[in-house]
Amino acid sequence: VCGGDIAVWSGGLVINVSVTGHLNQQVWRLDAACAGDQILVTGELGGSILGRHLSFEPRCDFAAKWIDSNLIRAATDVSDSLSLDLQKMASASRVGFELDAQLIPVSAAALKLSQRPEATMSALEHALYDGEDFELILAVDPIQVEKLIAGHKAPPRLTRIGQFTAETTYLLTTNERRHPLSPKGYRHEFAPDDLAPPEIQTETHQGNGPGDS
């Protein structure tokens, strides 16, 4: 498909605009993350259903500042959800990842949703699964991560939330225990089968990973 839209819609008029071209500068690829790379995100996550997806600020200034720095190995944006888009990056790069639940920046909107009487998800789950945050997920060389954090002075918020791993599993650490994370969010019907999460066992977390004291 070159341009256009393959979605089905039975409602009113829909106008699709497509742009094609080429880049003459360095780009951040989806498939360049390495085991050991730190996972960072811009901004806060979750709660887009309350209207955040209609008033977001694209992180163009952040990208323009850092694209030529060679500090960021790979990147993508959070559209389908933090967990799904991170899974796509990990799958393309042939690595796994581990997130620290305590480090994930949860938005006020996600917290508000979780406090409704009819709520079925926690604020953390909204941050992991809602999508349409349009924040950036970054894979950063662990040797360079402090340089990036120190050099980032202006908004948006920049938070380290975990790391990519050599084992192709998806884990969430809560209270010093690793749990399997099953990515959820908006799944396109043409998504490849190899994005299915692997079968793994819960294990006690040991070592000096993210969040350890």
Side-chain angles (χ1 to χ4, degrees):
V1 177
C2 183
D5 197 329
I6 60 173
V8 176
W9 171 245
S10 60
L13 175 67
V14 175
I15 299 175
N16 290 299
V17 178
S18 301
V19 178
T20 59
H22 67 277
L23 292 171
N24 57 3
Q25 62 182 29
Q26 182 174 338
V27 297
W28 291 328
R29 296 176 59 91
L30 185 70
D31 60 355
C34 299
D37 281 356
Q38 300 296 289
I39 301 170
L40 282 72
V41 293
T42 60
E44 298 177 338
L45 306 170
S48 61
I49 192 65
L50 295 184
R52 295 180 66 243
H53 64 309
L54 301 177
S55 60
F56 69 93
E57 180 179 348
R59 301 309 182 190
C60 299
D61 290 344
F62 178 92
K65 177 179 179 179
W66 294 106
I67 187 65
D68 294 321
S69 68
N70 295 318
L71 301 181
I72 298 169
R73 269 204 259 257
T76 190
D77 72 326
V78 181
S79 52
D80 296 335
S81 80
L82 170 63
S83 59
L84 271 182
D85 291 312
L86 187 54
Q87 181 191 34
K88 293 171 188 174
M89 183 185 289
S91 178
S93 303
R94 300 183 182 277
V95 294
F97 64 80
E98 179 179 345
L99 301 179
D100 189 320
Q102 294 181 324
L103 300 181
I104 295 173
V106 177
S107 73
L111 181 61
K112 184 177 181 179
L113 281 175
S114 70
Q115 294 174 337
R116 288 181 170 180
E118 70 276 15
T120 59
M121 295 170 60
S122 68
L124 175 62
E125 288 174 319
H126 281 293
L128 286 168
Y129 306 135
D130 280 0
E132 293 200 317
D133 298 297
F134 304 111
E135 297 293 350
L136 299 179
I137 304 173
L138 311 172
V140 183
D141 184 332
I143 298 176
Q144 303 284 7
V145 67
E146 295 301 335
K147 183 176 181 180
L148 175 63
I149 292 174
H152 178 68
K153 303 296 184 182
R157 175 180 178 180
L158 187 62
T159 308
R160 179 167 23 184
I161 63 171
Q163 64 184 2
F164 289 99
T165 60
E167 297 79 13
T168 54
T169 54
Y170 313 132
L171 302 173
L172 180 69
T173 298
T174 56
N175 299 321
E176 297 190 344
R177 288 184 62 85
R178 290 190 180 107
H179 304 276
L181 175 65
S182 296
K184 302 174 186 176
Y186 182 79
R187 288 190 177 272
H188 302 270
E189 292 185 3
F190 54 84
D193 293 337
D194 62 3
L195 290 182
E199 296 293 332
I200 53 180
Q201 301 295 321
T202 302
E203 60 184 64
T204 301
H205 171 58
Q206 297 178 346
N208 296 319
D212 289 343
S213 58

